[in-house]
Amino acid sequence: MSLQGKKVVIVGGSSGIGYATAAMAKAQGAEVVIASRAGARLDAAAKALGVRAIPADVTGDEAVENLFRQTGAVDHVAVTAAQLKAGPFKTQPIAEAKATMEGKFWGSWRVARFAEFRPGGSLTIVSGFLSIRPRPNSAIVGAANGALEALARSLAIDLAPVRVNAVSPGIIDTPIRAAMPEDARKAMLDKIAAGLPVGRVGLADDIALQILAFMQNGFATGSIVYIDGGGTIA
Ligand SMILES: NC(=O)c1ccc[n+]([C@@H]2O[C@H](COP(=O)([O-])OP(=O)(O)OC[C@H]3O[C@@H](n4cnc5c(N)ncnc54)[C@H](OP(=O)(O)O)[C@@H]3O)[C@@H](O)[C@H]2O)c1
């Protein structure tokens, strides 16, 4: 199924996996709209990609409703937006854990609720491998990812014939870790890469490829695909 002329909305398209997905969809001839919080990052991404940008903070019902009022009916939507705050379970402020859920889980919920799809349309949610491969101090992120994977399966029923799938990335080198000191970030990624069967961490394009596959494969719905360089089996 070609993306030529299809309207594709990437919520979280200003950076990382979302940006790569927007670029790939545009290269395949789609009419792409990116959305994220209002600001210089969204504007710069829209300019670099040559696509339309609509500011929308996924933590607000009205903002997401307004996004899809502006786009009208769409063919394919992917949600990559997330602001994550992890920390030790016993001491992480509960407000931080709730904020993680608000953006990552409820953000996707809102997008699913307000997007209107044309025939043949699809929604792709991005979760993360912590759902099935927990790591210390990230219980809230694992829980959000697990909830999203369950949501994708449920929505594949409730929104049918709209197809709904989830891609669950492993460790991907994106600006999500930009706040870490560069040396520490590189050392951490090198260590993870050495333990993976593929010998490297992921690139944003590795996940974008799967998102585009979900958009184009008319038989895929209710699927959860782990793209993690073997991280869940290593
Ligand atoms: N990178 C990894 O290792 C990894 C692993 C597993 C899962 N994932 C998941 O993959 C997804 C994409 O991650 P990434 O690595 O591409 O991260 P990223 O480069 O930090 O991109 C995150 C995107 O989310 C947007 N965003 C953040 N808060 C938002 C909000 N409240 N409303 C709307 N947009 C918001 C950001 O845009 P603005 O700042 O412009 O708002 C940005 O476009 C996330 O769900 C992440 O949890 C990533």
Side-chain angles (χ1 to χ4, degrees):
M1 209 187 294
S2 163
L3 290 182
Q4 184 69 42
K6 300 291 184 190
K7 193 183 276 191
V8 171
V9 179
I10 312 294
V11 184
S14 70
S15 176
I17 293 167
Y19 184 95
T21 306
M24 221 177 260
K26 183 164 189 244
Q28 296 207 10
E31 175 196 342
V32 176
V33 177
I34 61 170
S36 73
R37 293 167 295 185
R41 183 146 88 149
L42 179 63
D43 297 342
K47 197 171 170 202
L49 288 164
V51 303
R52 181 180 175 198
I54 301 177
D57 185 327
V58 298
T59 61
D61 298 350
E62 277 181 22
V64 178
E65 188 172 16
N66 181 51
L67 164 64
F68 289 105
R69 199 178 296 126
Q70 287 190 59
T71 63
V74 299
D75 294 292
H76 303 288
V77 177
V79 196
T80 63
Q83 318 146 255
L84 308 174
K85 286 204 170 138
F89 181 76
K90 282 290 197 182
T91 55
Q92 181 184 29
I94 289 182
E96 269 190 16
K98 284 186 173 174
T100 293
M101 213 64 181
E102 192 63 53
K104 176 110 185 175
F105 175 76
W106 288 104
S108 288
W109 179 289
R110 291 182 181 99
V111 169
R113 182 70 183 269
F114 293 118
E116 294 297 336
F117 292 89
R118 294 171 175 160
S122 77
L123 169 66
T124 303
I125 289 170
V126 176
S127 55
F129 79 127
L130 292 171
S131 60
I132 59 166
R133 191 82 153 86
R135 285 289 177 263
N137 302 328
S138 26
I140 190 59
V141 181
N145 291 339
L148 283 170
E149 292 172 13
L151 180 67
R153 289 197 187 92
S154 292
L155 293 183
I157 304 288
D158 284 355
L159 298 183
V162 176
R163 297 179 298 101
V164 184
N165 298 287
V167 56
S168 191
I171 298 295
I172 312 298
D173 188 6
T174 70
I176 203 167
R177 292 178 194 83
M180 283 179 80
E182 181 56 15
D183 285 356
R185 191 186 69 86
K186 195 169 175 321
M188 188 196 80
L189 293 179
D190 286 350
K191 190 171 168 207
I192 290 167
L196 290 173
V198 296
R200 68 170 177 87
V201 296
L203 303 173
D205 276 358
D206 295 323
I207 306 304
L209 267 178
Q210 182 57 42
I211 296 173
L212 257 67
F214 276 146
M215 291 177 181
Q216 293 174 281
N217 187 336
F219 200 54
T221 196
S223 294
I224 316 294
V225 172
Y226 297 86
I227 304 287
D228 56 18
T232 49
I233 52 162

